[in-house]
Amino acid sequence: MSIAENLKIIKQNIPKEVTLVAVSKTKPIADLMEAYEAGQRIFGENKIQEMTQKWEALPKDIEWHMIGHVQTNKVKYMAEYVALVHGVDSFKLLKEINKQAKKHHRTINCLLQVHIAEEETKFGLDKTELLELLNSDEFNALKNIKVIGLMGMATFTDNEVQVRKEFKSLYALFKDAKTIVNTLDTVSMGMSGDYKIAIEEGSTMVRIGSSIFGSR
Ligand SMILES: *Cc1c(COP(=O)(O)O)cnc(C)c1O
């Protein structure tokens, strides 16, 4: 099936209040353009250099989301245009995003990445680190970033019970975090293999790649 057809099917499967991030990492410009022509305006990439090349080449009404792990020394390359950084997992990174955003007279929206999976390899804050960060004076002093919610990745498994449990834990943390920062409104969870469960568990933003663009 074509990219346009895949997009149509995904959109039928998600409620309209859930935001769809089309994850286009590794895919050529022509594929992104096909999704753009089908109406898609939000794209997710996981490498800053690749995202920047695509931003330069493509229409300027696209919202670029950085969904991958971010190295502090690369923030400067996306600070001018990035719409949302999903994978913020340290105060150090938040501080750098704030610094670079300020240079461009912008406020950059961020999600704090929380560790919900059983796998040791996934990045993210734990509950204590998350709540400490949100409560800290250093965090409140950053004026050029805005934390709008949380992001998490479930364990890569077909055990639906486990995936659901992990999404539930992220949603519960979102509620806890909201008692500290009451403007939080975004829970980024769910990918091609698990977005239906994620939406049932409260996701407001899904990041879908292979179901739109094909396998990588
Ligand atoms: C690649 C990626 C996705 C999309 O994965 P698919 O299984 O292709 O839908 C979502 N989120 C993150 C963080 C990713 O790196």
Side-chain angles (χ1 to χ4, degrees):
M1 267 194 299
S2 72
I3 290 168
E5 285 167 328
N6 289 338
L7 263 174
K8 197 172 160 197
I9 291 168
I10 301 278
K11 283 200 196 131
Q12 284 164 355
N13 280 329
I14 65 177
K16 60 178 178 315
E17 63 275 14
V18 172
T19 303
L20 172 62
V21 180
V23 175
S24 49
K25 62 191 186 195
T26 78
K27 297 295 176 184
I29 299 278
D31 286 10
L32 282 76
M33 205 53 214
E34 194 178 332
Y36 181 87
E37 275 162 4
Q40 184 63 26
R41 291 293 181 274
I42 306 177
F43 292 88
E45 291 282 334
N46 72 341
K47 295 207 169 72
I48 292 175
Q49 197 181 5
E50 182 180 339
M51 181 169 78
T52 302
Q53 284 167 357
K54 288 172 173 172
W55 165 68
E56 283 167 352
L58 284 158
K60 292 295 170 283
D61 60 342
I62 291 175
E63 253 188 46
W64 293 98
H65 288 202
M66 173 42 56
I67 62 166
H69 186 69
V70 177
Q71 285 171 274
T72 312
N73 60 350
K74 301 231 172 100
V75 172
K76 55 178 177 285
Y77 302 117
M78 63 175 175
E80 180 182 349
Y81 68 90
V82 69
L84 181 62
V85 184
H86 287 236
V88 180
D89 63 355
S90 71
F91 178 72
K92 182 175 159 237
L93 179 56
L94 212 47
K95 205 170 138 185
E96 176 64 14
I97 297 171
N98 186 73
K99 180 178 156 191
Q100 298 299 334
K102 196 170 178 179
K103 284 190 188 163
H104 293 279
H105 312 285
R106 299 186 62 207
T107 301
I108 296 181
N109 287 337
C110 296
L111 301 175
L112 295 175
Q113 184 170 357
V114 182
H115 180 96
I116 52 168
E118 250 173 29
E119 294 154 302
E120 298 252 332
T121 52
K122 298 267 161 75
F123 297 103
L125 303 162
D126 67 23
K127 179 175 178 169
T128 312
E129 291 166 334
L130 171 72
L131 300 181
E132 263 175 26
L133 197 160
L134 292 175
N135 272 316
S136 70
D137 295 339
E138 296 94 317
F139 168 70
N140 284 300
L142 301 180
K143 298 301 176 209
N144 292 77
I145 52 106
K146 185 170 185 225
V147 170
I148 64 166
L150 304 183
M151 178 268 206
M153 286 168 86
T155 303
F156 190 69
T157 170
D158 47 24
N159 181 346
E160 206 179 289
V161 175
Q162 185 176 348
V163 170
R164 189 178 294 280
K165 190 179 87 187
E166 292 172 1
F167 285 149
K168 267 193 205 308
S169 75
L170 180 55
Y171 196 77
L173 275 177
F174 170 70
K175 290 282 179 186
D176 291 340
K178 222 173 139 59
T179 65
I180 305 171
V181 180
N182 64 17
T183 54
L184 300 186
D185 62 8
T186 304
V187 186
S188 167
M189 61 183 190
M191 319 192 344
S192 292
D194 56 21
Y195 74 88
K196 287 180 188 163
I197 304 173
I199 290 168
E200 285 167 10
E201 297 306 331
S203 172
T204 70
M205 185 177 276
V206 291
R207 310 176 307 269
I208 299 182
S210 45
S211 293
I212 298 172
F213 297 104
S215 58
R216 289 179 296 272

